[in-house]
Amino acid sequence: MARYINQTIQEKDDPGGRADNDTHSDTIALTSTMSLKPSTASPSPPDGGLLAWSQVLAGHLVAFNSWGYVNSFGLFQVYYTTSLKQSPSAISWVGGIQIFLMMFIGTFSGRALDAGYYRYTAIAGLGLQVLGVFMTSLITEYWQLLLAQGICQGIGSGLVFTPTMAVVSTYFTKRRAVAVCGMSSGTATGGVVFPLIARQLLDRVGIGWTVRIMGFVFMFNAAVVLALVRPRNTPRKEGPLVEFKSFLDPWFSLFSLGMFLVVLGLYFAYYYLASFAQDVIHASSSTSLDLLLVINALGLPGRMIPAWIADRFLGPQNTLIIIVILTGTLTFLWAVIDTLPALWGFTVAYGLIAANIQSMVSPALASAERDPSKIGVEIGMIFSINGIGCLCGPPIAGALIERNGGDYLYAQMFAGSAIMSGALVFIAARVLCVGWSLKKKN
């Protein structure tokens, strides 16, 4: 694994190397590399073949079950706010806790992979995911929803997502860009399939059986993942989980703060788009689910295009700043939307632009020439911080909606301001890294 990290950093000036760092899944792969013993590194990756590409399929299905389901939370936000007679803020805590646990626990489950315990963590994680979905189908009270979907599924996703992504990335070098694109596209695939299931079945069979059918999809994917995944690196028992000294570096501190601010507002649209469509635009429930489906589906081209731009023209930090500014601007513009066609335009633009923000963490760190021996730990730290932002952001937005009598303006201003504040912090971090020159590709 140490050889893998060093190779990733050393190749950042090579087009193939830069592309290797272009997606969120590759970022997660790096978070698991917590110990650095060159003598235990595995042979060079096969970079293709049936076994390697089967790992990509497994990674795609894990992303499908984890982030694809999380990005579909908007359909639960709409339903449970009404059926459980809870405030939007209270329901948002469920999704926020789910994302927080997935990110925070990923730091430790990635280290478990390095120690040779992938099979145990994967079985536990996939089992908790399935259990959480089926328990969600039975809930009648808010606390049951919090336990089943927020805590149980959050822990399950955190246990399986990070180490599986790490396994996949270790199978590729020159083709890693294609491989990680295949992995991360599971987020978009799941974000389309789960809303489609809800759209077709919710009115016919009710919420219980709709969620159970989603549970059967989880079970099938889990079985395929366990059958396919084969970790290839030599287990290592040593290595730190947290490198607190990194926060003494001004660039790293600023970049971490910027990511926290961005994710504080980033998921507001994914959580509240469907409810906004019904509450403000007075769209049908079917149309609101279509909007959710589209914003998730556009995540696939939304990940590929900015990554290509960063690789060929601007560099990851410059690209990240532009994407964040555009996302914040769109969030502010959302406040003036009062027609369905305009909302469709916002959905398409936000889905294309916002999807790639977290994917840029890994290449941005590489472009800042971080210490290769610490980059895995540092990314894990950043994602743990991001988890706190994801935990707090949507519930704050929900409380602002409630405080404003159901109007979304306060929440939209909060989300847009958080994202724009993150952009300003990123600009400061870039200046620390390369100065004020706009011509520097960084």
Side-chain angles (χ1 to χ4, degrees):
M1 188 71 76
R3 180 184 299 174
Y4 162 64
I5 296 178
N6 290 328
Q7 183 182 27
T8 301
I9 303 303
Q10 290 166 1
E11 291 179 353
K12 68 183 182 68
D13 291 326
D14 174 77
R18 286 194 302 269
D20 292 349
N21 294 293
D22 284 342
T23 70
H24 172 63
S25 301
D26 207 27
T27 297
I28 295 299
L30 287 170
T31 66
S32 68
T33 56
M34 300 299 178
S35 60
L36 299 162
K37 295 280 185 180
S39 62
T40 61
S42 298
S44 298
D47 207 35
L50 179 61
L51 178 60
W53 289 112
S54 68
Q55 308 308 297
V56 175
L57 173 59
H60 182 97
L61 295 178
V62 169
F64 183 108
N65 278 10
S66 302
W67 281 101
Y69 195 71
V70 165
N71 283 1
S72 304
F73 188 79
L75 65 93
F76 299 105
Q77 180 77 39
V78 173
Y79 181 84
Y80 288 122
T81 299
T82 303
S83 64
L84 297 180
K85 297 180 174 59
Q86 295 289 329
S87 67
S89 178
I91 300 300
S92 293
W93 276 109
V94 177
I97 289 173
Q98 189 177 359
I99 296 181
F100 168 74
L101 290 172
M102 181 160 57
M103 288 187 169
F104 185 77
I105 293 176
T107 300
F108 305 97
S109 61
R111 182 64 187 90
L113 166 70
D114 283 349
Y117 300 121
Y118 173 80
R119 182 66 55 177
Y120 301 105
T121 57
I123 291 173
L126 293 167
L128 285 173
Q129 281 186 327
V130 173
L131 177 64
V133 176
F134 280 105
M135 290 300 100
T136 299
S137 73
L138 301 174
I139 67 102
T140 57
E141 302 288 341
Y142 173 73
W143 66 268
Q144 297 169 341
L145 177 66
L146 187 65
L147 286 176
Q149 185 158 346
I151 296 177
C152 185
Q153 280 194 275
I155 293 174
S157 296
L159 287 173
V160 70
F161 182 73
T162 298
T164 305
M165 295 302 103
V167 169
V168 176
S169 293
T170 62
Y171 275 82
F172 295 89
T173 50
K174 293 181 180 179
R175 297 180 179 178
R176 193 179 299 138
V178 177
V180 295
C181 178
M183 293 185 289
S184 63
S185 63
T187 300
T189 307
V192 170
V193 170
F194 290 123
L196 273 177
I197 292 173
R199 188 180 187 279
Q200 295 298 320
L201 298 178
L202 195 56
D203 292 335
R204 298 181 184 179
V205 299
I207 187 67
W209 271 105
T210 298
V211 175
R212 287 184 200 108
I213 290 172
M214 294 179 184
F216 289 123
V217 175
F218 268 79
M219 288 181 65
F220 174 81
N221 291 346
V224 175
V225 169
L226 290 175
L228 292 180
V229 176
R230 295 290 184 272
R232 63 180 300 274
N233 281 348
T234 304
R236 290 170 283 109
K237 308 294 183 181
E238 302 174 2
L241 286 175
V242 180
E243 190 68 51
F244 289 108
K245 290 183 180 179
S246 295
F247 288 113
L248 298 177
D249 180 351
W251 182 91
F252 183 81
S253 295
L254 284 174
F255 189 81
S256 300
L257 175 61
M259 283 303 305
F260 169 79
L261 291 170
V262 169
V263 299
L264 196 63
L266 178 64
Y267 288 98
F268 171 61
Y270 290 98
Y271 278 36
Y272 285 94
L273 178 64
S275 59
F276 178 88
Q278 294 187 38
D279 297 341
V280 178
I281 308 298
H282 305 296
S284 66
S285 59
S286 176
T287 299
S288 67
L289 288 177
D290 287 341
L291 289 164
L292 187 63
L293 188 154
V294 169
I295 199 173
N296 285 324
L298 290 172
L300 179 56
R303 285 171 174 81
M304 296 174 63
I305 297 172
W308 179 79
I309 293 174
D311 182 38
R312 300 296 181 185
F313 302 107
L314 300 179
Q317 288 192 61
N318 295 333
T319 305
L320 178 62
I321 290 170
I322 293 171
I323 292 172
V324 171
I325 291 174
L326 290 175
T327 302
T329 302
L330 283 171
T331 306
F332 282 131
L333 290 175
W334 186 10
V336 302
I337 291 176
D338 57 4
T339 65
L340 187 57
L343 185 59
W344 273 110
F346 167 81
T347 301
V348 171
Y350 199 93
L352 283 170
I353 294 171
N356 202 51
I357 288 178
Q358 296 219 60
S359 306
M360 285 292 169
V361 174
S362 174
L365 282 173
S367 73
E369 299 182 353
R370 306 297 298 169
D371 183 350
S373 67
K374 297 180 181 179
I375 194 168
V377 179
E378 288 180 343
I379 294 176
M381 293 159 60
I382 288 175
F383 271 84
S384 294
I385 294 170
N386 287 1
I388 298 173
C390 294
L391 175 67
C392 299
I396 292 174
L400 290 171
I401 293 172
E402 187 177 5
R403 183 178 181 84
N404 201 25
D407 193 290
Y408 284 68
L409 179 63
Y410 292 174
Q412 290 161 332
M413 294 301 103
F414 162 75
S417 298
I419 295 170
M420 283 298 196
S421 298
L424 293 176
V425 175
F426 283 145
I427 291 172
R430 182 196 179 278
V431 171
L432 279 178
C433 187
V434 297
W436 288 100
S437 174
L438 297 178
K439 295 182 179 180
K440 292 236 179 177
K441 182 180 178 181
N442 184 261

